[in-house]
Amino acid sequence: TGDGCGLLIQKPDTFFRDVIRNDFGIELSKKYGIGSIMLSKEAKHADKAKAIFTEEMAAQGLEVVAWRTVPTNSECLGPIALESQPDFVQVFINSEGLNTQELAAKLLVARRKANKQLRNDDWFYVASLSEKIVSYKGLMMPVDLPRFFP
């Protein structure tokens, strides 16, 4: 168990388009957002957070089209990290007719509003929400990051 590390990368567009098409049968729009979110392992808490997040996206004219569970391998984690490990999900958000700046602004507003509603939820954490980048974070040593997120 480390004190946490992360990786911030440019959104791998072709990979995500293929994953969402193959796993969900959905086509992502020309401009779409992706969020890396940590949620409670308890379904009722996770479902509440997803519903609020989805509502705030809709209020901005954006459409949440998929929640993808990020593949992980917890064998490399220590006992403290295992004890507090959340569920790692990626959310995909379609937009129509927006330029990059408009989409970024709408994502930011929706994120802030969702965070405000969920401020007392210890298990809701948005690691990234963007039309350009995606992040992978965890309570581990940097050497374990590629083993945890295969």
Side-chain angles (χ1 to χ4, degrees), residues 8-146:
L8 184 67
I9 61 172
Q10 181 177 340
K11 175 176 74 177
D13 182 61
T14 302
F15 170 77
F16 283 140
R17 287 184 185 281
D18 288 346
V19 166
I20 298 306
R21 184 181 308 110
N22 294 335
D23 292 356
F24 297 93
I26 296 169
E27 292 296 325
L28 292 169
S29 58
K30 183 177 178 182
K31 299 247 186 244
Y32 67 95
I34 178 171
S36 291
I37 300 178
M38 297 177 201
L39 295 172
S40 172
K41 288 189 172 290
E42 291 185 39
K44 69 178 182 177
H45 295 298
D47 290 346
K48 176 186 172 190
K50 286 179 179 181
I52 289 170
F53 186 89
T54 300
E55 288 170 14
E56 292 301 342
M57 289 295 151
Q60 295 299 314
L62 302 173
E63 179 188 14
V64 171
V65 293
W67 290 90
R68 174 183 181 249
T69 300
V70 179
T72 59
N73 175 7
S74 59
E75 292 177 5
C76 63
L77 298 181
I80 295 171
L82 283 171
E83 193 175 299
S84 63
Q85 181 181 343
D87 278 345
F88 295 88
V89 298
Q90 291 170 328
V91 59
F92 293 83
I93 303 134
N94 273 349
S95 71
E96 294 300 329
L98 299 177
N99 66 37
T100 301
Q101 288 180 326
E102 291 167 331
L103 176 56
K106 289 180 178 290
L107 290 171
L108 176 64
V109 169
R111 175 184 181 166
R112 290 183 56 92
K113 288 186 174 188
N115 277 335
K116 187 174 182 181
Q117 285 193 62
L118 293 162
R119 67 181 167 269
N120 295 325
D121 185 336
D122 293 336
W123 289 99
F124 178 77
Y125 175 71
V126 179
S128 66
L129 179 63
S130 172
E131 73 291 351
K132 295 181 180 180
I133 56 102
V134 63
S135 70
Y136 294 88
K137 288 184 170 187
L139 186 60
M140 64 197 73
M141 299 297 290
V143 69
D144 292 322
L145 193 70

